[in-house]
Amino acid sequence: MNRLTNPAHCQALISQLTLQAYQASSMASSSQNTFLLHNQSRLFDAKMLSSLHSLQLPSPARTKRLTHRGSSVRPIVASSTDVPLTTTTDPPPTASPAPKLPLRKIPGDYGLPFIGPIKDRLDYFYNQGRDKYFSSRVLNYQSTVFRANMPPAYFIASNPNVIVLLDGKSFPVLFDVSKVEKKDLFTGTYMPSTQLTGGYRILSYLDPSEPKHAKLKQLLFFLLQSSRYRVIPEFHTAFTELFETLESQIAAKGKEGFGDINDQACFNFLARAFYEANPPESKLGTDGPSLVAKWVIFHLGPILTLGLPKLLEELLLHTFSLPPILIKSDYQRLYDFFHGASGRILDEAKKMGIEREEACHNLLFATCFNSFGGMKILFPSLVKYIGGAGSALHEKLAEEVRSAIRSNGGKVTMAAMEQMPLMKSVVYEALRIDPPVPFQYGRAKRDLVIESHDATFEVKKGEMLFGFQPFATKDPEIFDRPEEFVPDRFVGEGEKLLKHVIWSNGPETESPTVENKQCAGKDFVVWVSRLFVVELFQRYDSFEIEVGTSALGSSVTFTSVKKASFE
Ligand code: HEM
């Protein structure tokens, strides 16, 4: 039997898993709770329930006591400790500063060469699925830190071996660029061909120690800064177009998928706000979103499932890279659009010492991959969680949004949005419960000691650390009712929890700089997400949806909208 180094802490997560399993099974008959059940049952099927019971975990009453504390904020100050430089060979684990927690050998192994990684890949994609791949290992190893392989493995990535971090205490080591190197790790253990990006290694793949990182990140700060006055009006225009289509399609067909119209609205909004260019009036027409979607598959295919037959997917996506030549002409169309639209920004790049061509490929990537790709995942997720919470929440949001706008002269402004605490909290809660970019990687720059809630673990220089963020942001040691969408979680005192909202590759309470790897668009993303909720509840009192899944996240269909009945 596995020995727990600190049973109280690790047991809290295990107990959380058990409590959810109990809740899932007891709610299965309640149709009112199908939304919550849908989320929870992803992790817990019948097999998982029986393995949880076989662990001889505490009774439900005890479990409840462990996980349903008040909303107090636990101080979590350190995620890792440096091993003193004098002890690079065989460092004494308890050298100063002495770790307070017991040292534990990192559990898990990588299996036999070639066979182990392929078996893990099949478990991850097909036999277990992503979330269960991780949760079953937490239970098996009784630890939130363990060794495993991450897809794609051979022949796309030469080394799939990683140390997995699944709690909110160990995860933040990935943000500390003095401890981890972030070179070529944006998509994971493999690096997509630079032929997909004009021959350049794009900013997202650069470590801050590389000279170009600071210049290129500064260029993106300039892009965001220079578009700030266009964001609110262009967002309103693009999303008014979206809502008009939505309403006419619901009237005609009884429902309308959100994915395609959201893609079109986001692409148009970004091009208009960043570059003052309107894609439908250019040679690109309305093709932008589909060209980007195809191009993104060439980057992310190795870590996605598209619902194709398993064998086909394994060969086409997970074993060999798709040849970049197949996407060359589509990419060129995107490049031509951005080149034509971004003259003003390219002039600024030149002044900063960046060649126009390299700057343009970076602008394309930041707009299409980082911004559009992120909004394509995040906005359906916002609709899913707000829609699933039902009309009581909708009523409160509509009241809050409209009253704040009223008292700000009828205008949507930054100041007005600051007076909408529930709306702000809802956005943070969606980013917490379902971070749009769930994976983060970092290579240990030197020997380190990582701390989870239960134990400390020695990591060797050069080993790959991997964090699966949705587990860290649903850590029961940090968040009460972690699996539940709690709309007002971050209102008032709850704001103290924002340091544990880490969707941007850093705490929500910190800012991106040219020295770190936090998302350059962090504040922009929160801003546009708020605008989305504001636009939604200015226009509608309530709405109803159906929820499914897609390759990149949630797929949402609107089945009805109730137009605003009061100002
Ligand atoms: C919903 C939208 C977005 C999400 C979820 C998101 C998320 C992230 C995450 C998780 C990272 C860190 C990846 C890693 O290194 O492991 C990142 C990095 C980055 N993001 Fe975002 N992002 C979004 C939008 C944007 C926008 C709007 C921009 C800029 C216009 C942007 C620019 C960047 C850049 C440049 C980096 C690399 C930062 C660096 O190298 O220092 N992102 N983003």
Side-chain angles (χ1 to χ4, degrees):
M1 184 175 145
N2 285 314
R3 194 178 66 81
L4 281 179
T5 46
N6 182 341
H9 283 128
C10 193
Q11 211 55 344
L13 175 61
I14 312 284
S15 300
Q16 178 65 30
L17 299 179
T18 317
L19 175 66
Q20 289 156 0
Y22 277 115
Q23 285 174 334
S25 61
S26 69
M27 286 190 321
S29 58
S30 159
S31 59
Q32 279 177 331
N33 284 322
T34 46
F35 176 71
L36 184 59
L37 179 63
H38 168 79
N39 292 311
Q40 293 177 328
S41 60
R42 278 185 312 170
L43 289 176
F44 303 104
D45 61 10
K47 246 173 155 177
M48 175 68 86
L49 278 169
S50 70
S51 74
L52 283 164
H53 286 300
S54 69
L55 279 168
Q56 298 187 323
L57 289 161
S59 68
R62 161 89 177 122
T63 304
K64 211 158 190 141
R65 223 169 40 241
L66 277 170
T67 57
H68 278 230
R69 291 179 301 265
S71 57
S72 64
V73 181
R74 308 192 118 233
I76 292 185
V77 283
S79 61
S80 72
T81 318
D82 288 336
V83 172
L85 292 175
T86 47
T87 57
T88 45
T89 53
D90 196 21
T94 52
S96 175
K100 293 180 192 110
L101 294 162
L103 180 75
R104 190 177 168 196
K105 181 173 178 282
I106 301 174
D109 62 61
Y110 303 121
L112 292 171
F114 197 80
I115 295 170
I118 300 298
K119 183 189 168 302
D120 279 358
R121 183 169 87 200
L122 294 174
D123 282 349
Y124 176 91
F125 284 125
Y126 309 107
N127 303 334
Q128 295 185 297
R130 188 185 70 175
D131 287 0
K132 219 160 98 183
Y133 181 77
F134 299 118
S135 61
S136 64
R137 282 161 178 77
V138 171
L139 291 174
N140 192 21
Y141 301 130
Q142 300 277 296
S143 176
T144 50
V145 175
F146 53 83
R147 293 182 187 278
N149 296 297
M150 275 302 286
Y154 318 110
F155 297 98
I156 296 173
S158 58
N159 186 357
N161 303 164
V162 300
I163 296 167
V164 183
L165 311 175
L166 292 181
D167 60 83
K169 191 173 180 191
S170 60
F171 194 100
V173 69
L174 292 164
F175 311 146
D176 187 342
V177 290
S178 72
K179 291 177 181 156
V180 299
E181 191 194 62
K182 298 279 293 179
K183 194 172 174 185
D184 295 339
L185 303 182
F186 182 63
T187 45
T189 54
Y190 70 102
M191 163 87 189
S193 168
T194 53
Q195 288 175 51
L196 296 167
T197 48
Y200 294 98
R201 279 177 64 238
I202 295 296
L203 170 59
S204 291
Y205 293 93
L206 303 184
D207 187 74
S209 63
E210 298 181 70
K212 278 189 182 165
H213 177 269
K215 277 187 193 175
L216 289 169
K217 200 160 181 180
Q218 197 61 54
L219 178 67
L220 291 193
F221 290 151
F222 174 79
L223 173 75
L224 292 164
Q225 170 78 1
S226 65
S227 59
R228 68 193 181 285
Y229 296 116
R230 289 187 293 275
V231 170
I232 293 179
E234 292 298 359
F235 195 92
H236 177 72
T237 306
F239 279 79
T240 300
E241 288 162 11
L242 176 149
F243 292 130
E244 282 167 358
T245 311
L246 181 70
E247 286 162 27
S248 67
Q249 290 304 310
I250 291 178
K253 302 186 303 194
K255 56 179 167 179
E256 173 67 354
F258 180 64
D260 288 348
I261 55 175
N262 178 56
D263 288 356
Q264 202 56 246
C266 290
F267 194 84
N268 290 343
F269 157 69
L270 289 165
R272 293 168 188 166
F274 286 170
Y275 308 105
E276 297 176 80
N278 190 20
E281 289 168 8
S282 74
K283 280 192 189 155
L284 208 51
T286 54
D287 294 346
S290 60
L291 296 178
V292 176
K294 269 195 266 172
W295 173 67
V296 165
I297 289 175
F298 282 70
H299 298 255
L300 296 182
I303 50 170
L304 292 181
T305 44
L306 300 179
L308 303 172
K310 191 156 111 182
L311 192 63
L312 197 63
E313 242 177 26
E314 277 298 284
L315 276 175
L316 274 185
L317 295 180
H318 304 152
T319 309
F320 304 104
S321 301
L322 290 166
I325 186 83
L326 297 179
I327 196 73
K328 198 167 179 233
S329 61
D330 285 345
Y331 183 76
Q332 190 61 45
R333 281 188 70 196
L334 287 167
Y335 183 84
D336 291 345
F337 172 76
F338 283 93
H339 193 260
S342 61
R344 183 178 51 86
I345 315 288
L346 297 181
D347 292 344
E348 188 63 28
K350 194 80 187 122
K351 283 189 216 151
M352 292 176 174
I354 309 166
E355 286 305 320
R356 292 175 79 89
E357 193 181 314
E358 180 166 15
C360 190
H361 287 289
N362 270 279
L363 292 176
L364 190 164
F365 194 91
T367 311
C368 296
F369 199 110
N370 299 118
S371 310
F372 172 79
M375 290 165 79
K376 180 181 171 68
I377 301 170
L378 176 58
F379 282 13
S381 168
L382 273 169
V383 174
K384 167 179 145 180
Y385 286 103
I386 297 173
S391 57
L393 174 68
H394 300 172
E395 212 173 284
K396 285 186 198 154
L397 283 169
E399 179 52 52
E400 180 185 87
V401 164
R402 292 174 209 170
S403 122
I405 293 174
R406 241 188 348 259
S407 43
N408 279 272
K411 289 209 171 100
V412 177
T413 59
M414 298 291 259
M417 288 197 286
E418 280 308 315
Q419 292 160 23
M420 304 177 189
L422 181 62
M423 177 281 287
K424 286 164 61 183
S425 175
V426 159
V427 167
Y428 290 136
E429 179 66 343
L431 286 162
R432 176 198 73 85
I433 202 163
D434 221 346
V437 177
F439 309 131
Q440 269 86 56
Y441 290 83
R443 193 180 292 286
K445 276 186 166 170
R446 54 177 180 268
D447 291 359
L448 297 173
V449 175
I450 307 282
E451 294 178 13
S452 73
H453 296 298
D454 321 300
T456 59
F457 303 89
E458 284 179 338
V459 170
K460 288 280 172 219
K461 178 179 174 181
E463 289 198 281
M464 182 77 96
L465 301 171
F466 159 71
F468 181 58
Q469 203 184 134
F471 276 42
T473 55
K474 289 190 274 188
D475 183 339
E477 285 288 317
I478 296 170
F479 292 105
D480 217 27
R481 294 182 288 154
E483 290 281 336
E484 218 179 294
F485 181 77
V486 180
D488 61 354
R489 188 186 292 280
F490 298 102
V491 172
E493 273 291 291
E495 280 191 21
K496 289 187 186 155
L497 286 165
L498 283 174
K499 62 173 178 281
H500 300 295
V501 177
I502 51 176
W503 68 270
S504 64
N505 197 40
E508 196 53 35
T509 45
E510 291 178 16
S511 297
T513 68
V514 295
E515 282 99 31
N516 67 23
K517 280 294 282 182
Q518 190 161 15
C519 172
K522 172 188 164 259
D523 294 337
F524 175 84
V525 171
V526 171
W527 188 14
V528 294
S529 303
R530 290 176 180 177
L531 280 175
F532 177 70
V533 181
V534 167
E535 290 287 342
L536 195 59
F537 287 101
Q538 263 192 299
R539 196 169 177 107
Y540 304 121
D541 284 348
S542 188
F543 60 90
E544 288 177 320
I545 52 165
E546 286 167 357
V547 177
T549 52
S550 74
L552 287 174
S554 312
S555 122
V556 176
T557 301
F558 278 80
T559 52
S560 75
V561 289
K562 195 171 154 211
K563 287 283 222 25
S565 61
F566 63 97
E567 294 236 320

